[in-house]
Amino acid sequence: WRQRSLRRADGTAYHDEWLIKRKRIDGLFDQAIEFPLENLEELNRYSFPRLSCLDSIEYSREALNSAFNAGKYVLGHDPVNLYDRVVSLAGFETALLAPYKHPQELEFLLDRLTEITLLQIEEYAATNLVQGFMTWQDFGNQNNLVMSPKIFRQFYQPRLQKMIDLAHAYRMHFIWHCCGSIYEL
């Protein structure tokens, strides 16, 4: 959210905190134009950002307290978004081929992203203000899944289950928004 708040002019290129080169476009999300992990064999050289939802919590602490005290439902957001982050770090083609060409590297990347997400859930839970955690994963296109159910279940489902289990252990709801045709899941 900080990147969007900088109000770059359309067409301006920049690197975000994940080292993804993006181009500012009109709309909600800027376009990724260079992917730091397009070659997953470079994963050992990649430096993951230190994310903390506490930054945004502290920034909006007064609003969170006010909402919570008014009986409103307070929802924490996922700054990682597991599958979509893999796509934005590696590019769509690399992300879809990774289970076949680089399964060990994909496992490592997914584990690291999952660890970061679990820390975010713990930080939200520690506030005692957040009742739910929401993530966004676009596993579907207009007509079907972007990967086979087998690949989803092997690589993504166990990690999503860890997130769900942790949120539930803290008595938080886990909300999974998923675009596209995901009926097979």
Side-chain angles (χ1 to χ4, degrees):
W1 59 272
R2 281 184 240 150
Q3 293 294 334
R4 298 296 296 168
S5 68
L6 296 177
R7 302 281 184 215
R8 293 180 170 85
D10 284 353
T12 302
Y14 64 95
H15 287 87
D16 67 13
E17 64 268 20
W18 294 89
L19 304 179
I20 301 162
K21 188 171 184 182
R22 297 184 180 275
K23 182 171 79 173
R24 173 74 176 99
I25 59 173
D26 187 32
L28 188 57
F29 302 107
D30 292 345
Q31 178 183 11
I33 56 175
E34 287 181 14
F35 312 97
L37 294 176
E38 193 163 15
N39 179 356
L40 285 175
E41 293 169 350
E42 300 288 322
L43 187 56
N44 61 341
R45 294 186 193 140
Y46 180 72
S47 180
F48 288 87
R50 187 201 168 283
L51 296 182
S52 175
C53 67
L54 291 178
D55 294 341
S56 59
I57 289 171
E58 289 310 315
Y59 176 76
S60 57
R61 173 73 69 177
E62 186 177 329
L64 288 172
N65 278 319
S66 178
F68 183 82
N69 291 331
K72 303 292 183 184
Y73 185 84
V74 180
L75 184 63
H77 77 282
D78 182 357
V80 176
N81 300 316
L82 188 65
Y83 169 70
D84 288 354
R85 183 63 59 195
V86 171
V87 171
S88 63
L89 284 169
F92 188 67
E93 184 176 334
T94 300
L96 292 184
L97 292 175
Y100 308 101
K101 294 177 88 172
H102 300 286
Q104 292 84 13
E105 290 87 348
L106 179 59
E107 294 271 3
F108 178 83
L109 177 58
L110 290 170
D111 286 344
R112 185 66 183 105
L113 294 173
T114 300
E115 289 170 14
I116 295 168
T117 304
L118 295 174
L119 289 172
Q120 302 306 299
I121 293 170
E122 289 176 350
E123 287 183 0
Y124 280 123
T127 68
N128 293 317
L129 298 172
V130 179
Q131 290 100 5
F133 181 80
M134 184 169 183
T135 189
W136 295 262
Q137 317 281 328
D138 293 340
F139 284 104
N141 61 31
Q142 295 299 315
N143 302 312
N144 52 30
L145 297 173
V146 295
M147 66 187 69
S148 73
K150 179 183 175 186
I151 294 296
F152 171 81
R153 289 184 182 104
Q154 179 181 350
F155 290 94
Y156 293 92
Q157 184 176 359
R159 290 154 177 100
L160 286 165
Q161 191 64 55
K162 285 181 181 181
M163 296 173 207
I164 293 165
D165 291 345
L166 184 61
H168 289 171
Y170 285 115
R171 300 192 178 284
M172 294 168 59
H173 295 113
F174 186 89
I175 302 170
W176 179 28
H177 169 85
C178 196
C179 287
S181 178
I182 59 165
Y183 299 112
E184 291 183 70
L185 300 183

